[in-house]
Structure formats: C-alpha cells, structure tokens
Amino acid sequence: MKPQKILLEIEDDDEEITLGLVRLAKEVPEHELFYQLNLLNSFKFSRIADLIYNGTYYDYSFPRFEGFHCDTKVCIQFISNKSSQNIQKKVSKELFSGEQETKFLLDHFQDVDYLLKTSEPFGDFSLILLPENLMFQIQNFPLSPIEELYHIIQYYE
C-alpha cells in the first residue's frame, strides 16, 4: 500500500493595505510641519523609532511620526518616503549596484514626501485636518502583500 500524501493548504490572510501619499506644497522642516498638524488636530504626533531598510551596501533610516485619534483610538503614522541618513556597510565594487546614498521607499513616487498608514483599514484619510498651503490632498495608494514595502511596514507594526 502506497503512503498517502497529505498537503497542507495555507490560506494567505494578508490583505492589501491602503497607504496615503502625502505631498508637501512647499519645503517645510519636519518640526514645523508636525507642529502645524498638532495645532489643527486633537491627536498629537510625536517622533518614534525610525524605520530601517537594510540594503546590500547601505542601511537607510526613514523618520516616523505617530499619533492616536482620541475617539476611535486609531494609530496614525507618517513615514518619510526619503531616507534621512544612511550607514555604509561595504564599498560597492560594481559600477551600477542599484543602491545610492539616498533611498526612497516608493521609488516610482519620488515626489511623495510621506506615507500615511493607519492601524485600522479605512479608505478615507479625511480624519486628519491638513494645514492650509502646506500639504496637497492625500492620495490613496493600495499596497499589495507581494511587495517588499508591505512586509517592512508589517514588521514595524
């Protein structure tokens, strides 16, 4: 009698998440931007540990800011799309290694200043009052579980 093969079916519970793409209307220092956001909103943003992206030649740091909505207890995070600093791990001997000193989390959206992430999925970021003349309207961006950024964000959750 042949042994029966038992296959384990693993359901992939990972659903795509919706990020908000935040573009600034003008260049503003981080402390001034979040001061303005804190003035307008009941929740207060504060700086938390940076998101770290480990590349082959560099480790990149992306600043993160977090606040909690008073009524709904939803956690709201702003993650910088552009790295603020890097640490070189080794010298590239390749002419085109693909890594540079500055990294963007979303390479195809280098005009985006911050990624907005919430702890509870909802499709509308109108919960956040935006300072006039500093920010454009927030754009929704679906992030699929097959993308590397999805797993990095889930790791820091």
Side-chain angles (χ1 to χ4, degrees):
M1 181 171 190
K2 267 184 155 178
Q4 245 184 340
K5 289 186 181 180
I6 300 173
L7 300 175
L8 179 62
E9 289 186 33
I10 301 174
E11 288 186 28
D12 194 11
D13 289 340
D14 294 336
E15 295 179 5
E16 70 178 24
I17 56 175
T18 301
L19 297 177
L21 303 183
V22 178
R23 292 174 176 87
L24 299 179
K26 59 183 178 181
E27 226 173 287
V28 181
E30 287 177 344
H31 65 276
E32 186 178 327
L33 173 66
F34 287 97
Y35 173 76
Q36 293 295 327
L37 280 167
N38 287 344
L39 282 177
L40 293 172
N41 296 285
S42 60
F43 46 91
K44 304 299 178 210
F45 288 100
S46 59
R47 179 91 184 251
I48 59 173
D50 288 357
L51 183 143
I52 306 296
Y53 178 88
N54 298 313
T56 306
Y57 301 104
Y58 293 96
D59 286 340
Y60 302 96
S61 295
F62 297 89
R64 293 189 308 157
F65 298 86
E66 181 177 77
F68 292 90
H69 191 266
C70 298
D71 300 331
T72 61
K73 305 294 185 215
V74 171
C75 175
I76 302 167
Q77 281 188 14
F78 276 83
I79 305 168
S80 179
N81 187 34
K82 184 179 179 181
S83 62
S84 62
Q85 68 180 45
N86 65 53
I87 299 171
Q88 188 171 10
K89 296 191 287 190
K90 59 183 177 180
V91 178
S92 172
K93 295 183 179 18
E94 300 174 23
L95 186 57
F96 299 105
S97 66
E99 279 190 42
Q100 300 173 352
E101 290 184 13
T102 302
K103 171 126 180 94
F104 290 89
L105 289 174
L106 293 174
D107 279 329
H108 299 299
F109 294 98
Q110 292 186 5
D111 62 327
V112 171
D113 296 292
Y114 293 95
L115 308 176
L116 186 58
K117 184 200 171 299
T118 58
S119 61
E120 297 295 322
F122 62 92
D124 187 14
F125 293 103
S126 64
L127 179 71
I128 303 166
L129 299 175
L130 306 176
E132 285 185 35
N133 303 324
L134 285 183
M135 300 170 81
F136 292 112
Q137 196 63 31
I138 297 172
Q139 175 187 352
N140 289 354
F141 181 78
L143 190 62
S144 166
I146 61 171
E147 297 183 48
E148 182 182 19
L149 179 58
Y150 178 92
H151 297 287
I152 293 170
I153 289 175
Q154 293 295 43
Y155 174 78
Y156 280 94
E157 197 169 86

